Amino acid sequence: MDYAKAHIVTLWCAVIAKATRGVTKLLPKQMSPLQFRLLAQLTLPESEHIRPVRAARLLVLKPADVDEAAGVLADQGLLDVCEDGCIELTRTGRERAARLAERLNVFFSLCVDDLSEEERAVLADLLRRAFSMPGSYYARRSLTDEAPETFDARRGLAATAMLHYAVQTAIKKETSLSFTDFRFLLELYPKRRTAARMLRARDMVAFLRTGRAYVTTASVRLEEQGYLVRVPDERDARGILFKLTPQGMLCVQDVAEDLYAVLVSMFGEALEERAVQRALKHLLELEDAALDALAELPW
């Protein structure tokens, strides 16, 4: 894998992971991410009265998973199963969805409000491309002429979840690693023609936005699997650096090639455009700031 591709895959994985983390932080303790997505989906015009199998297709989920989530939401009085087999929100469900949508809009607003008009246009185009994949609901329906406000946080949630699923599926195809574990390795992969990339635990905590405990346990697990080694830091007697092994390099190369192909299938030539990469880098910075801001909100 060339360095340009590695940089693009790393950037996209970071953007997707941090958007997913922000959404997860907004959830009530008793609601799973899948239930949240279904609740949000049912507030969209195309999904107000819909069969579960259709909802599964829109959410890129297994029908059985949607049926299970719908059952839980129905037990909570948030969703009705109609005589024709379709599902729709109850009044209580709409009220709950509206409150959660407000939270969602706060997060996504924090992520996009400081983008320039050009950057917003670039990301809006990417969003349209993601929703226009062949075979999807949106591929048969033009979103280009919709009013800008229809691209609200609910569609941001749908796009984030779609991308996360696609990336996770590509990772699982080649390895048994989680998305976060793969990102651990991906951050160690060289992005330019220099010496091997080595990072400290605190670097990983910052890049992955995880606790130090995760970095400690994950590094031990990944070392046992032969993907990385821990190297003494010559500048810090107590410090440890993480470095990919040859096996780790091959793992990242194989998976990243698949991920790059998935991204190309969604975004085509736009993937390599400088304007797209600049917009994503700025978005990533704003996501980090938004995650910090969420921690201060009284939720």
Side-chain angles (χ1 to χ4, degrees):
M1 159 166 284
D2 64 44
Y3 300 103
K5 283 184 180 179
H7 174 76
I8 289 171
V9 170
T10 302
L11 180 58
W12 274 95
C13 284
V15 167
I16 294 166
K18 291 182 181 181
T20 302
R21 185 173 295 275
V23 171
T24 302
K25 284 180 173 291
L26 303 174
L27 296 181
K29 291 182 179 179
Q30 71 275 18
M31 184 172 289
S32 72
L34 194 158
Q35 293 162 16
F36 180 37
R37 287 184 59 204
L38 179 57
L39 199 68
Q41 184 67 43
L42 293 176
T43 68
L44 290 169
E46 65 268 15
S47 310
E48 291 180 345
H49 184 82
I50 191 172
R51 291 187 180 278
V53 68
R54 178 66 129 182
R57 186 176 182 185
L58 290 173
L59 294 168
V60 197
L61 292 169
K62 297 177 181 177
D65 291 339
V66 171
D67 288 339
E68 182 179 349
V72 173
L73 294 175
D75 290 342
Q76 296 175 355
L78 304 178
L79 178 154
D80 270 338
V81 180
C82 306
E83 292 183 0
D84 60 1
C86 290
I87 54 176
E88 61 183 25
L89 295 178
T90 62
R91 180 177 179 179
T92 302
R94 291 190 176 282
E95 292 172 351
R96 174 73 63 84
R99 290 195 297 272
L100 292 176
E102 288 180 6
R103 292 186 177 190
L104 199 61
N105 276 309
V106 167
F107 173 65
F108 279 98
S109 293
L110 288 169
C111 291
V112 303
D113 280 355
D114 286 340
L115 294 172
S116 68
E117 289 187 13
E118 178 186 358
E119 290 169 334
R120 290 190 190 196
V122 166
L123 294 177
D125 180 62
L126 291 177
L127 191 62
R128 279 189 285 269
R129 288 171 184 260
F131 278 124
S132 300
M133 288 191 67
S136 74
Y137 172 89
Y138 299 96
R140 300 192 302 276
R141 180 170 176 267
S142 174
L143 294 176
T144 305
D145 299 327
E146 287 191 353
E149 59 268 19
T150 61
F151 285 94
D152 62 10
R154 294 169 300 175
R155 294 203 191 279
L157 171 64
T160 297
M162 184 193 314
L163 286 163
H164 188 277
Y165 177 82
V167 168
Q168 182 67 73
T169 300
I171 293 170
K172 289 295 185 183
K173 178 183 175 182
E174 296 289 341
T175 74
S176 60
L177 299 174
S178 69
F179 186 16
T180 308
D181 281 357
F182 176 71
R183 285 194 62 223
F184 195 122
L185 302 180
L186 186 58
E187 290 292 346
L188 293 173
Y189 191 83
K191 307 305 187 296
R192 59 186 64 182
R193 296 182 184 278
T194 58
R197 182 171 167 84
M198 295 189 287
L199 296 173
R200 299 177 178 83
R202 63 173 178 269
D203 298 322
M204 280 300 179
V205 169
F207 287 140
L208 304 180
R209 289 198 71 96
T210 61
R212 193 177 181 91
Y214 162 78
V215 171
T216 300
T217 57
S219 64
V220 172
R221 181 173 62 252
L222 293 170
E223 184 176 37
E224 290 174 347
Q225 293 173 321
Y227 291 125
L228 61 78
V229 291
R230 291 180 290 177
V231 181
D233 187 349
E234 295 179 355
R235 294 178 295 179
D236 182 353
R238 295 178 299 176
I240 294 293
L241 297 170
F242 304 124
K243 176 185 175 182
L244 289 179
T245 62
Q247 179 184 340
M249 292 283 286
L250 288 174
C251 173
V252 172
Q253 288 169 357
D254 289 344
V255 177
E257 285 285 0
D258 285 350
L259 292 182
Y260 189 82
V262 168
L263 294 171
V264 168
S265 72
M266 289 184 171
F267 306 112
E269 295 179 358
L271 197 64
E272 296 186 3
E273 293 176 1
R274 290 186 179 274
V276 169
Q277 294 181 44
R278 286 196 300 268
L280 287 175
K281 287 178 182 178
H282 193 188
L283 176 61
L284 186 59
E285 294 172 1
L286 294 173
E287 283 180 333
D288 271 322
L291 288 170
D292 291 337
L294 286 183
E296 302 299 324
L297 295 176
W299 289 342

